Amino acid sequence: MGKIWRILLLLSVVTASGALLADDDEDEHEGRRGGHRSSDLPVLTHAAWETECSGCHMAYHPGLLPERSWRKLMDGLDKHFGENASLDDSVREDITRFLVANSADHSSARRSQKFAASIPANSTPLRISETRYFRAKHDEVKASVWKREKIGSPANCGACHQGAKEGDFSEDRVSIPR
């Protein structure tokens, strides 16, 4: 009887994983609907977020991490990945409100929901590349590719995803630099 339960458990895990990692680009075959694929993240604008965050790196879309991750990142700007990225309190609070309001667990975008679902409730990743969803979507990318001069690391979304700044991470717009 124990073997049957193990098989049933394995089947349920495989089914759940398949649903989580299902093709985000399914409506690409029909083209964009109203200029926006349902898998895309919404185009967002916020002056302080764009100015402050993109001063050092791409302004990562809030829909790629849950609220708890954004709060932890913003609370630790004095030690932001080895750099002091401190901001005036009012600017930090403004950007935090924006990130929280548009975070993966507050978004209706399918890709955001998949990111949120891939993160265990007891986990607070500080890097998008630490999420199970990111790793599954990039599992075919070899470590040597991330180290290419024009890419540098998994954090450089725009190196391969031509529409990253607009929230478009569809596979048909990927171009991996040599």
Side-chain angles (χ1 to χ4, degrees):
M1 192 67 141
K3 186 175 184 177
I4 292 173
W5 284 109
R6 279 184 261 154
I7 291 171
L8 288 173
L9 177 63
L10 177 62
L11 286 173
S12 65
V13 168
V14 168
T15 301
S17 296
L20 175 65
L21 301 174
D23 186 5
D24 289 313
D25 304 315
E26 63 192 29
D27 42 12
E28 285 181 29
H29 304 292
E30 299 173 21
R32 288 181 177 262
R33 296 183 182 156
H36 180 78
R37 291 187 180 109
S38 65
S39 61
D40 288 348
L41 298 169
V43 175
L44 300 173
T45 58
H46 184 274
W49 166 66
E50 292 171 35
T51 300
E52 297 297 340
C53 299
S54 67
C56 297
H57 54 72
M58 180 180 130
Y60 297 109
H61 196 287
L64 300 175
L65 286 174
E67 175 180 344
R68 64 189 178 274
S69 294
W70 290 121
R71 287 191 184 281
K72 188 172 181 178
L73 275 165
M74 295 303 290
D75 287 344
L77 288 177
D78 59 327
K79 295 176 241 118
H80 188 67
F81 302 103
E83 300 292 327
N84 184 349
S86 296
L87 299 170
D88 291 336
D89 286 345
S90 63
V91 174
R92 182 182 50 78
E93 290 167 7
D94 180 43
I95 294 172
T96 301
R97 278 191 300 275
F98 167 76
L99 293 170
V100 165
N102 295 285
S103 63
D105 42 356
H106 295 289
S107 175
S108 62
R110 191 168 62 228
R111 192 173 310 274
S112 292
Q113 292 172 351
K114 290 184 180 219
F115 266 98
S118 79
I119 302 168
N122 64 348
S123 175
T124 306
L126 298 180
R127 298 176 189 270
I128 296 160
S129 58
E130 293 174 343
T131 66
R132 190 172 65 203
Y133 182 73
F134 178 95
R135 289 191 312 263
K137 290 304 255 181
H138 296 84
D139 65 343
E140 73 282 359
V141 179
K142 295 179 182 173
S144 61
V145 172
W146 297 121
K147 295 176 184 173
R148 290 180 184 166
E149 185 178 339
K150 292 182 181 178
I151 299 174
S153 79
N156 188 4
C157 306
C160 303
H161 294 277
Q162 305 309 302
K165 287 182 181 179
E166 294 81 34
D168 181 354
F169 293 90
S170 59
E171 291 182 20
D172 69 334
R173 294 203 56 207
V174 170
S175 178
I176 301 173
R178 294 262 169 231

